[in-house]
Amino acid sequence: MSKLWWRLSEVSPLAEHAVHTPTVNNPAYLLRAPSAVAALIWEQDETGSETLRSNGSPGWHDETGQLHRAHALTWQHPASGTSGVHDHADPHRNLVLLKVRRRDRSIHPVIDTIRYGVKRKHHWFWIDTTRWPYAYGTADHREEIVPAEATWIRSEVEAPALERLSYPAVIADGYVGADGVLPRFTRDTVTQMITDLDELNIHPATMLGEFPTVAFHGDIAVIFWQQHSLSDERVLEIDRCYPDAEGLYAIGAYQWTWSITRRR
């Protein structure tokens, strides 16, 4: 796979923080760029996960005192010990400069690309690790799920997001992501999921926002989630899933935790 993928809804606030804080903090080991340049620090955390965080100062911390990070959602292949992480040239770190323009003036600065993606209601931010300078962009759906050399086997899977209802699928043999297997489904199976979710969402015992909803817009499966508070209720589009070359849908990949159904 050539790209690393992050949720745009997690990356955008970090980028805005870096751009709008009074100063930025580029440690000495990251000084490939002037210290006054706003950037996202792209690095691996202690677990080996690819993360992005703001270099803005004062830093942005969560309620536990930890710096906010966006984690790339990528695959692992436990049997071989391989994963979709990037081999960083500078001790596991790079800077993603937000406002610097490339020599190719047709390539927009990263912050403009992120803001345009948000405006277009995109869901993903990606960096192509095989190109230098790194290519980047946003998308309304995720194109790459596992490496092209993955083999697919038939299985039956379930997910808590669908009340553990099970469905026939093909799964990437030996690959995991989002703490579960990575399946693809036929359109007929996705249609059955839509029916099941509609029934779950109208059930009297179901709380608002407990389950997602899915609807077909043409050939595209669009995933929604109801968000509610004491004063507001909204239905948000959280992802889109396009059919692949075989007409299959990797719906919920890297968002729902799919596991192989273990029948008693």
Side-chain angles (χ1 to χ4, degrees):
M1 292 173 64
S2 64
K3 296 175 181 176
L4 282 171
W5 298 81
W6 288 263
R7 295 292 298 177
L8 182 59
S9 60
E10 298 177 4
V11 173
S12 174
L14 294 171
E16 296 295 347
H17 176 269
V19 168
H20 289 101
T21 45
T23 60
V24 294
N25 179 25
N26 290 344
Y29 55 78
L30 291 175
L31 287 181
R32 291 183 173 181
S35 59
V37 175
L40 295 173
I41 299 176
W42 169 22
E43 62 189 346
Q44 292 178 10
D45 67 9
E46 61 279 2
T47 69
S49 174
E50 298 284 346
T51 71
L52 294 172
R53 61 183 174 91
S54 167
N55 74 336
S57 181
W60 181 16
H61 297 80
D62 63 22
E63 62 274 9
T64 69
Q66 299 298 311
L67 287 168
H68 275 285
R69 295 175 182 268
H71 291 258
L73 301 176
T74 190
W75 56 270
Q76 294 181 332
H77 192 264
S80 65
T82 58
S83 65
V85 300
H86 175 54
D87 185 15
H88 293 264
D90 186 6
H92 310 297
R93 297 173 176 88
N94 289 93
L95 283 182
V96 180
L97 306 180
L98 291 169
K99 301 176 77 172
V100 173
R101 284 194 170 274
R102 298 275 180 91
R103 289 183 179 180
D104 183 348
R105 307 300 286 185
S106 67
I107 301 175
H108 298 289
V110 176
I111 188 62
D112 292 349
T113 298
I114 289 173
R115 287 170 175 169
Y116 184 63
V118 170
K119 184 177 180 180
R120 296 192 66 188
K121 302 187 186 311
H122 284 178
H123 306 298
W124 296 91
F125 173 74
W126 56 263
I127 296 175
D128 188 337
T129 63
T130 65
R131 297 172 58 182
W132 179 257
Y134 296 118
Y136 49 83
T138 66
D140 68 348
H141 71 290
R142 179 170 177 152
E143 301 163 355
E144 300 177 328
I145 305 300
V146 292
E149 63 268 21
T151 58
W152 297 85
I153 58 175
R154 294 186 181 277
S155 186
E156 189 156 331
V157 298
E158 60 185 32
L162 291 97
E163 194 70 346
R164 296 206 173 278
L165 296 169
S166 62
Y167 301 94
V170 291
I171 62 173
D173 190 17
Y175 289 86
V176 294
D179 299 322
V181 297
L182 296 165
R184 297 185 297 153
F185 306 92
T186 65
R187 182 179 176 119
D188 287 345
T189 300
V190 177
T191 299
Q192 183 61 52
M193 286 184 202
I194 291 172
T195 300
D196 292 340
L197 283 168
D198 287 346
E199 292 178 358
L200 285 170
N201 278 303
I202 64 173
H203 194 280
T206 297
M207 296 183 294
L208 288 174
E210 185 175 356
F211 299 105
T213 59
V214 181
F216 274 115
H217 290 183
D219 287 334
I220 304 169
V222 185
I223 304 169
F224 303 91
W225 209 287
Q226 190 169 29
Q227 185 181 74
H228 64 95
S229 64
L230 293 176
S231 60
D232 185 32
E233 290 185 9
R234 294 182 294 169
V235 176
L236 303 177
E237 178 184 312
I238 61 169
D239 206 1
R240 292 187 165 222
C241 187
Y242 288 57
D244 59 25
E246 298 176 68
L248 300 178
Y249 293 81
I251 195 163
Y254 296 101
Q255 293 193 72
W256 303 342
T257 301
W258 290 105
S259 59
I260 298 173
T261 302
R262 308 294 183 185
R263 295 193 180 278
R264 295 181 180 178

